Amino acid sequence: MIIWITGANGFIGRHLVRVLADQGHAVYGIGHGAINEPERQRIGLGEWLNGEIDATNLNTLAGRSGLPSTIFHLAGGSSVGLSIAQPLEDFSRTVSSTARLLEWLRASAPECRLIVASSAAVYGAHHAGAISEEAETRPMSPYGHHKLIMEQLCRSYADSFGIRAIIVRLFSVYGPSLRKQLLWDLCLRLGRGQRELVLGGTGNEARDWTDVRDVVQLVAWLARVDGESLKVLNGGSGIATSVAEIARLVTNAWGGNIAVRFSGTVRAGDPFSLVADARQLAALPFNWRIPVQEGIAQYVSWYKGQAR
């Protein structure tokens, strides 16, 4: 198949390129950031277009690759904090790029299958326990609001123009090559020799942690799922792990006598609990392979290896 990935130069995108290329697909990418020739070949990317997701660039990519059979839309904002600091930039990255992509699909490739990476942030902070796909969406950050608008655009084009889309709401994705967020911050501080870590929040905040190597297997697999013109799925395991437990796993894997305490100050836009109801995914069926204990230990090993 001819496959395009928007945001192929990102954390999830690079992992997904490798999986799809290994499956024998011709994989092309568009988004921001330079990728040199050796790196492009290493990750398995047939062509990379560094630029905005707009009609001109999409037509250029189609001229090089042919029309795609599937597009994985990973481009968009990736940080709650940055969306609060720069909401217009986050809107442009998530909402405007999606609108331009959908309009190009409507006019140029209406039969193309679209797999869209959204976020559990669309659910907001008022849920306790596992959250089903039918739960009320009440996002509490610009990041979450923009992901929800992106989903609504996909629904509009599915209803009005028959665009086929699967939206997967990803939860807490981590893994090798992630250079931001909690795990990266913990390892940075430990690498600087800190032996007492003070973290925000209470430590009881619960998240559904999923290893990126599992996530890209899921996302790639969804391209083979048939059904209605629009489908929304939780991309989570259904297993809750507290931030305190994650910190314990990181410090145990690091080694040494390390103390962790929590300030009690909650970050703006941060829900207390985001855990998936994974029954729809399990029924398809899809199985998560990497338990969080194993994944966190491997992340620490990756960090120590790249820090040498």
Side-chain angles (χ1 to χ4, degrees):
M1 291 194 298
I2 296 174
I3 289 175
W4 292 3
I5 302 176
T6 72
N9 197 27
F11 166 55
I12 298 175
R14 282 175 168 249
H15 283 275
L16 181 60
V17 169
R18 184 71 271 164
V19 165
L20 293 169
D22 287 346
Q23 292 175 358
H25 302 299
V27 185
Y28 301 83
I30 181 172
H32 292 289
I35 305 178
N36 61 36
E37 185 68 14
E39 181 66 4
R40 184 182 64 76
Q41 293 184 7
R42 185 188 70 81
I43 65 175
L45 195 58
E47 187 82 36
W48 170 246
L49 199 159
N50 180 6
E52 293 289 340
I53 299 166
D54 58 25
T56 299
N57 285 333
L58 293 169
N59 285 330
T60 298
L61 190 58
R64 298 175 184 177
S65 72
L67 289 175
S69 57
T70 303
I71 296 177
F72 294 90
H73 183 41
L74 308 184
S78 60
S79 167
V80 169
L82 285 177
S83 79
I84 293 172
Q86 298 177 315
L88 182 59
E89 175 69 16
D90 191 82
F91 181 93
S92 177
R93 286 182 176 273
T94 298
V95 178
S96 299
S97 68
T98 301
R100 292 192 296 264
L101 176 62
L102 287 165
E103 183 61 11
W104 182 85
L105 282 171
R106 181 186 71 83
S108 301
E111 298 303 315
C112 177
R113 189 68 176 273
L114 184 63
I115 313 296
V116 180
S118 185
S119 170
V122 301
Y123 290 120
H126 61 292
H127 300 284
I131 307 170
S132 77
E133 290 87 347
E134 291 75 32
E136 180 186 11
T137 51
R138 200 191 303 170
M140 58 184 297
S141 66
Y143 171 82
H145 279 286
H146 298 157
K147 294 296 186 186
L148 185 57
I149 297 170
M150 177 186 74
E151 291 188 10
Q152 291 165 341
L153 280 170
C154 292
R155 184 174 298 280
S156 169
Y157 273 73
D159 290 345
S160 299
F161 307 112
I163 297 296
R164 296 178 301 148
I166 294 180
I167 296 167
V168 55
R169 291 171 175 166
L170 300 177
F171 282 69
S172 295
V173 184
Y174 72 95
S177 300
L178 180 63
R179 290 177 167 85
K180 61 181 179 179
Q181 300 173 352
L182 177 63
L183 299 184
W184 177 254
D185 179 57
L186 290 174
C187 288
L188 273 179
R189 292 160 69 178
L190 292 169
R192 294 171 184 149
Q194 293 185 30
R195 289 300 176 264
E196 182 180 19
L197 304 177
V198 180
L199 306 180
T202 66
N204 296 319
E205 293 83 0
R207 294 291 183 270
D208 193 328
W209 294 80
T210 53
D211 191 290
V212 67
R213 293 165 292 181
D214 274 344
V215 168
V216 294
Q217 291 291 340
L218 164 63
V219 172
W221 180 76
L222 288 176
R224 304 194 297 269
V225 174
D226 292 322
E228 60 265 40
S229 58
L230 183 81
K231 189 174 186 66
V232 178
L233 281 172
N234 280 334
S237 68
I239 299 171
T241 307
S242 71
V243 173
E245 176 64 8
I246 293 296
R248 185 188 69 81
L249 291 171
V250 170
T251 54
N252 284 354
W254 192 275
N257 187 20
I258 303 163
V260 179
R261 61 186 179 87
F262 293 87
S263 69
T265 302
V266 178
R267 187 181 65 171
D270 222 4
F272 182 79
S273 177
L274 278 178
V275 180
D277 180 331
R279 286 177 292 179
Q280 278 202 57
L281 200 57
L284 285 177
F286 178 83
N287 297 312
W288 301 90
R289 301 174 299 113
I290 304 172
V292 69
Q293 297 85 349
E294 179 182 327
I296 295 295
Q298 291 175 356
Y299 181 86
V300 173
S301 295
W302 165 81
Y303 177 88
K304 286 184 172 183
Q306 63 85 41
R308 293 192 186 101

